[in-house]
Amino acid sequence: MSKTQLSKYYIGLFISIMFFTVSSLNAQNAIIVQQSSVINVHGTSNVHDWDMKPNKINGELGLSSSKQINSLLVKIEVKALKSGNGIMDGKTYDAFEYKKNPNIVFQLIEASSVKLSDQDAEVTLTGNLTMAGQTKRVSFKSICKITKTGDYQLKGSVSIKMSDYGMKAPTAFLGTMKTGDAVTIKFDATFKS
């Protein structure tokens, strides 16, 4: 390799490194805001409908330099799910086998969006949802808004079946109360950069 070729190679390498560094610096991560975020797990039973909400949510939203979602991780401890009924909570934790599988985790694989306005976009989120030791790919639509304070708000829902994750729907009172297999997870999460 001649000196001229070597010089061109190093100049090209330098420009590539600078471009990557600038792109990385412009990207940002936003952390979930506990007080402004709600996740509700809604299900049915042969007696009444039920809801559970986690009292603690961990999450991080990654944004590219062009403010597009490029990563999302949400983690909820199983024992943070609360229904207001201690018996139901205990049955739910058992269904998750929470000692072996203490967390519910969603890890984004891909996000595609359609712009609705300057501040809103409909985003299809596709990722791996891990529950009860099983991981399945899920895809669902959500609305992403940029709030007046510059935070990001994701709002939507996804329906799943417990049996898809190897979970047995909880029962109580010697099997006379049976929960349905399908649950709907509704979320309204705010991320602050």
Side-chain angles (χ1 to χ4, degrees), residues 76-124:
I76 299 169
E77 288 181 37
V78 170
K79 289 202 79 178
L81 289 169
K82 303 293 179 191
S83 68
N85 180 320
I87 293 171
M88 182 175 175
D89 293 351
K91 298 282 186 184
T92 300
Y93 305 154
D94 291 344
F96 274 97
E97 296 184 23
Y98 76 94
K99 289 183 181 174
K100 287 194 296 186
N101 311 298
N103 297 305
I104 301 164
V105 179
F106 176 78
Q107 176 79 55
L108 183 73
I109 296 170
E110 177 184 26
S112 60
S113 64
V114 175
K115 195 167 189 172
L116 302 176
S117 71
D118 286 344
Q119 301 298 313
D120 299 356
E122 183 180 84
V123 182
T124 300

Side-chain angles (χ1 to χ4, degrees), residues 14 34 38 55 79 83 109 112 136 150 169 182 189:
F14 177 74
Q34 293 281 331
V38 177
N55 57 19
K79 289 202 79 178
S83 68
I109 296 170
S112 60
K136 302 286 179 191

Side-chain angles (χ1 to χ4, degrees), residues 10-83:
Y10 282 120
I11 289 170
L13 182 62
F14 177 74
I15 290 170
S16 297
I17 290 170
M18 290 304 295
F19 178 75
F20 177 75
T21 303
V22 169
S23 295
S24 298
L25 289 174
N26 288 333
Q28 63 182 353
N29 286 340
I31 304 297
I32 200 162
V33 180
Q34 293 281 331
Q35 304 85 340
S36 307
S37 299
V38 177
I39 294 178
N40 182 52
V41 181
H42 177 78
T44 60
S45 76
N46 61 335
V47 178
H48 57 76
D49 289 359
W50 52 269
D51 292 284
M52 296 189 89
K53 295 178 182 174
N55 57 19
K56 186 177 180 188
I57 308 164
N58 293 307
E60 190 170 319
L61 180 72
L63 302 165
S64 69
S65 56
S66 59
K67 305 295 184 196
Q68 298 296 312
I69 296 171
N70 61 14
S71 67
L72 175 63
L73 176 68
V74 176
K75 187 175 180 182
I76 299 169
E77 288 181 37
V78 170
K79 289 202 79 178
L81 289 169
K82 303 293 179 191
S83 68

